[in-house]
């Protein structure tokens, strides 16, 4: 009887822990049926860079479609002149350097595609792109175990490197954002 009681407590604790994990995930889409499993988290600011004539915003979201897990990269470039169009193909990838010294390479998922550009004469011109990059089990393990330091985005035309800040905080944000810990804090949302 005592064993059954302990088993019941362990089961309830596991269920409540799993529910807490689900509650902390901010899903844009969450379909979990016998026929289909699709999860997509809302975008989260990962980094921004302000230059003299250009501002770059980088957002992450996580996606799971059946057994395929990926990170979705959202790039927004705002500039006084028309920023470049960002394009992806089967040679594109994200490469992360972790604080642990390990590296993670995530190949692009999808067909050859380019973002979109908008020209606005009264304010900034924009270039936006969105691409999904595959995360295998080894990548998920590494990303969930160590903060990220840098990321290289390899597109069809160019490579560019991002150094992540430890914290992003200002009056417009309800809570500080910790970009280096993004995967540590959110990988469980697609497990």
């Amino acid at each position: 009887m005592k064993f059954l009681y302990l088993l019941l407590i362990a089961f309830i604790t596991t269920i409540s822990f799993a529910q807490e994990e689900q509650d902390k995930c901010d899903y844009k889409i969450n379909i979990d049926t016998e026929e289909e499993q699709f999860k997509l988290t809302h975008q989260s600011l990962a980094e921004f860079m302000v230059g003299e004539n250009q501002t770059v915003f980088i957002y992450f979201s996580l996606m799971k479609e059946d057994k395929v897990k990926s990170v979705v990269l959202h790039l927004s470039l705002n500039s006084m002149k028309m920023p470049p169009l960002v394009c992806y193909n089967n040679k594109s990838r994200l490469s992360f350097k972790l604080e642990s010294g390990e590296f993670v390479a995530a190949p692009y998922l999808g067909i050859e595609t380019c973002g979109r550009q908008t020209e606005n004469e009264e304010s900034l011109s924009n270039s936006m792109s969105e691409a999904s990059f595959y995360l295998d089990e080894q990548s998920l393990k590494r990303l969930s175990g160590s903060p990220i330091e840098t990321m290289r985005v390899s597109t069809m035309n160019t490579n560019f490197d991002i150094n992540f800040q430890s914290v992003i905080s200002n009056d417009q944000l309800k809570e500080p954002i910790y970009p280096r810990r993004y995967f540590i804090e959110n990988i469980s949302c697609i497990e």
Side-chain angles (χ1 to χ4, degrees):
M1 185 67 173
K2 188 176 184 179
F3 175 75
L4 288 176
Y5 180 71
L6 290 173
L7 188 61
L8 180 63
I9 289 174
F11 178 73
I12 291 171
T13 303
T14 302
I15 294 295
S16 64
F17 177 74
Q19 185 61 42
E20 284 177 25
E21 286 294 310
Q22 282 291 78
D23 291 343
K24 85 171 186 76
C25 296
D26 185 17
Y27 291 110
K28 184 175 184 177
I29 300 171
N30 189 3
I31 300 170
D32 195 356
T33 65
E34 288 182 20
E35 297 84 33
E36 180 182 17
Q37 186 179 53
F38 185 83
K39 296 179 181 199
L40 176 66
T41 62
H42 280 280
Q43 295 178 18
S44 179
L45 180 65
E47 191 57 79
F48 68 95
M49 294 166 282
V50 179
E52 189 173 313
N53 294 319
Q54 180 173 297
T55 305
V56 179
F57 292 95
I58 299 169
Y59 299 88
F60 288 144
S61 57
L62 294 171
M63 184 168 62
K64 178 180 181 182
E65 187 171 4
D66 296 321
K67 294 183 190 246
V68 177
K69 299 171 185 175
S70 60
V71 57
V72 182
L73 174 71
H74 310 263
L75 291 176
S76 176
L77 296 96
N78 308 306
S79 179
M80 299 299 279
K81 60 181 185 173
M82 185 59 74
L85 189 61
V86 179
C87 300
Y88 303 96
N89 64 8
N90 62 354
K91 294 181 182 173
S92 300
R93 63 190 3 67
L94 294 183
S95 302
F96 297 97
K97 180 180 181 232
L98 309 180
E99 286 184 11
S100 65
E102 295 179 297
F103 292 88
V104 170
Y108 171 65
L109 285 173
I111 59 172
E112 187 172 305
T113 186
C114 291
R116 61 190 180 280
Q117 294 174 311
T118 56
E119 190 168 12
N120 194 336
E121 294 177 9
E122 296 183 23
S123 63
L124 297 175
S125 298
N126 300 301
S127 172
M128 293 182 278
S129 70
E130 185 175 280
S132 182
F133 297 86
Y134 177 66
L135 297 173
D136 63 18
E137 291 303 316
Q138 183 68 27
S139 298
L140 292 165
K141 182 179 176 183
R142 287 179 179 171
L143 289 168
S144 65
S146 177
I148 53 178
E149 281 186 357
T150 63
M151 174 179 71
R152 169 166 279 190
V153 180
S154 300
T155 67
M156 281 175 58
N157 307 350
T158 188
N159 298 324
F160 55 94
D161 297 318
I162 311 300
N163 291 314
F164 289 96
Q165 299 177 52
S166 295
V167 63
I168 299 172
S169 180
N170 64 39
D171 295 337
Q172 287 79 32
L173 297 172
K174 291 180 187 178
E175 296 179 24
I177 299 170
Y178 300 93
R180 290 182 176 211
R181 298 189 56 80
Y182 175 80
F183 292 103
I184 291 172
E185 295 172 358
N186 294 290
I187 286 282
S188 62
C189 295
I190 57 170
E191 291 298 318

